[in-house]
């Protein structure tokens, strides 16, 4: 496994892989790797002849009062995990390497960014659009792997790739969970023991929704209310959003829409704060043949 800290160094290594005719799978991350990232790495390795991991805590996707400075980092452990999961190259650039000057170019994806984290974290997806565009140009992967844990990010990047004709297949990967259902996240380390035990309310709500949706006459508005009430029952949980939207367009549903009769996939997306820690989770519900938990 080769470690590259500069764009020039990475391009040289990538050039050698391409000369050997290898297809390239790419997994962009912010590090502090866990089993969710590992599942992306394994899939990239399985489906391509070479796999590239990037680790970069991207400042442009954090708001001024967010956790950029205290975002957890552990380079040594990350490199071990990358090696164990068969990565050929790891790209570990500094902020100066990626942004030697203040960028004057914006990558703004509209529509799919208006709700959910796009509304709660103004500018977040502009930062994501910019860094993913830069990384795609640098790496030029055949396939890029993204977790459905961040389903809105998948929708945004799919749109970006289509609109700007990036020559890459976006591969969405299922959310990896703790045994009690909590979605793995680098931010879970911020939780106190008590918050950690209450945090199970997110995945629990998605499971309950799966049971409620098939009930005759269940409307979007009623479902969202039930989920909110359930989350409010967890001590220390403060709801940022609970929304049921069409997926992947992330368009609103009318409150009286009967969920069972909808001919398209919907997403139930949650963001809940425990103290300063904001957790997200979601589940997709397919129209025919009942309900799918992704
Ligand atoms: P991050 O390092 O949090 O930016 O995440 C890097 C990639 O890993 C993104 O595509 C995430 O959606 C994905 N990811 C994060 N957590 C999980 C998880 N629990 N299961 C699957 N993928 C995940």
């Amino acid at each position: 496994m080769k470690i590259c800290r500069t764009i020039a160094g990475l391009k040289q290594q990538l050039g050698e892989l391409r000369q050997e005719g290898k297809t390239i799978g790419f997994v962009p991350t912010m590090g502090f790797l866990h089993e969710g990232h590992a599942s992306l790495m394994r899939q990239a390795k399985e489906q391509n002849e070479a796999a590239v991991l990037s680790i970069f805590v991207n400042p442009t996707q954090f708001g001024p009062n967010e956790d950029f400075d205290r975002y957890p980092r552990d380079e040594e452990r990350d490199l071990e995990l990358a090696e164990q999961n068969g990565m050929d190259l790891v790209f570990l650039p500094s902020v100066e390497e990626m942004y030697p000057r203040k960028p004057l170019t914006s990558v703004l994806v509209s529509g799919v960014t208006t709700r959910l984290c796009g509304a709660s974290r103004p500018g977040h997806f502009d930062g994501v659009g910019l860094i993913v565009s830069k990384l795609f140009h640098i790496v030029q992967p055949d396939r890029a792997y993204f977790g459905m844990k961040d389903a809105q990010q998948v929708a945004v990047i799919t749109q970006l790739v289509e609109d700007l004709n990036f020559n890459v297949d976006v591969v969405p990967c299922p959310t990896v969970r703790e045994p009690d259902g909590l979605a793995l996240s680098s931010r879970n380390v911020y939780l106190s023991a008590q918050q950690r035990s209450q945090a199970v309310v997110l995945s629990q709500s998605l499971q309950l929704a799966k049971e409620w949706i098939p009930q005759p006459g269940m409307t979007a508005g009623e479902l969202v209310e039930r989920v909110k009430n359930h989350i409010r029952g967890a001590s220390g949980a403060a709801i940022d959003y609970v929304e049921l939207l069409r997926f992947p367009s992330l368009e609103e549903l009318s409150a009286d829409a009967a969920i069972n009769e909808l001919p398209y996939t919907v997403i139930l997306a949650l963001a809940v704060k425990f103290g300063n820690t904001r957790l997200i989770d979601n589940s997709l519900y397919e129209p025919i043949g009942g309900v799918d938990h992704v």
Side-chain angles (χ1 to χ4, degrees):
M1 184 177 84
K2 299 236 166 63
I3 299 164
C4 307
R5 293 183 190 272
T6 64
I7 296 169
L10 178 71
K11 281 186 173 169
Q12 196 194 325
Q13 295 296 330
L14 284 163
E16 288 177 19
L17 293 173
R18 271 197 210 95
Q19 283 231 311
E20 295 163 26
K22 291 185 169 163
T23 54
I24 290 165
F26 177 44
V27 181
T29 77
M30 299 203 299
F32 209 70
L33 303 177
H34 50 64
E35 193 49 37
H37 301 112
S39 72
L40 270 52
M41 289 192 265
R42 283 194 291 270
Q43 203 169 329
K45 187 67 185 176
E46 269 165 34
Q47 297 179 345
N48 302 275
E49 284 143 346
V52 180
L53 174 79
S54 69
I55 299 176
F56 180 61
V57 185
N58 172 39
T60 67
Q61 71 191 68
F62 287 78
N65 298 316
E66 293 185 356
D67 56 343
F68 174 70
D69 289 328
R70 65 185 190 111
Y71 194 83
R73 292 159 168 93
D74 189 343
E75 190 178 301
E76 205 176 312
R77 203 178 140 266
D78 285 353
L79 290 174
E80 268 170 38
L81 264 172
E83 177 112 57
Q84 282 166 20
N85 287 285
M87 293 300 97
D88 297 276
L89 297 178
V90 180
F91 183 42
L92 267 168
S94 64
V95 172
E96 294 69 35
E97 181 69 9
M98 291 308 284
Y99 300 109
R101 286 176 296 281
K102 186 177 164 9
L104 301 178
T105 303
S106 305
V107 181
L108 310 185
V109 180
S110 61
V112 283
T113 56
T114 39
R115 309 196 66 81
L116 309 179
C117 294
S120 298
R121 303 182 66 188
H124 168 67
F125 286 114
D126 306 347
V128 170
L130 182 62
I131 192 66
V132 170
S133 300
K134 284 165 74 78
L135 289 169
F136 281 179
H137 282 306
I138 295 165
V139 178
Q140 298 188 19
D142 295 277
R143 298 183 189 86
Y145 296 81
F146 293 90
M148 279 300 288
K149 154 88 180 353
D150 301 282
Q152 188 173 24
Q153 177 167 271
V154 169
V156 170
I157 291 165
T158 304
Q159 186 72 41
L160 173 70
V161 163
E162 188 181 319
D163 289 346
L164 297 185
N165 300 91
F166 279 101
N167 202 7
V168 56
D169 283 339
V170 174
V171 185
C173 304
T175 300
V176 177
R177 298 174 179 282
E178 298 281 5
D180 70 354
L182 178 68
L184 295 188
S185 164
S186 306
R187 290 189 168 98
N188 290 350
V189 290
Y190 296 150
L191 298 169
S192 69
Q194 201 195 355
Q195 290 169 335
R196 170 64 190 82
S197 67
Q198 297 292 322
V200 72
V201 76
L202 280 91
S203 60
Q204 210 176 55
S205 302
L206 298 173
Q207 282 296 342
L208 281 169
K210 190 175 169 179
E211 289 165 29
W212 291 331
I213 285 175
Q215 293 179 3
M218 178 58 66
T219 61
E222 162 90 20
L223 184 83
V224 166
E225 264 327 293
R226 284 198 191 186
V227 169
K228 283 184 173 170
N229 282 334
H230 182 73
I231 295 172
R232 285 186 193 116
S235 80
I239 293 172
D240 178 356
Y241 61 69
V242 172
E243 291 194 66
L244 187 73
L245 303 172
R246 189 168 172 170
F247 190 83
S249 65
L250 302 181
E251 289 164 296
E252 267 184 280
L253 305 174
S254 77
D256 59 4
I259 305 172
N260 285 319
E261 291 162 23
L262 297 174
Y264 42 74
T265 303
V266 293
I267 183 169
L268 178 61
L270 319 174
V272 178
K273 282 187 89 170
F274 291 88
N276 291 327
T277 306
R278 184 174 167 283
L279 302 179
I280 59 170
D281 203 348
N282 69 81
S283 188
L284 296 189
Y285 303 94
E286 306 293 340
I288 305 162
V291 174
D292 252 7
H293 197 78
V294 177

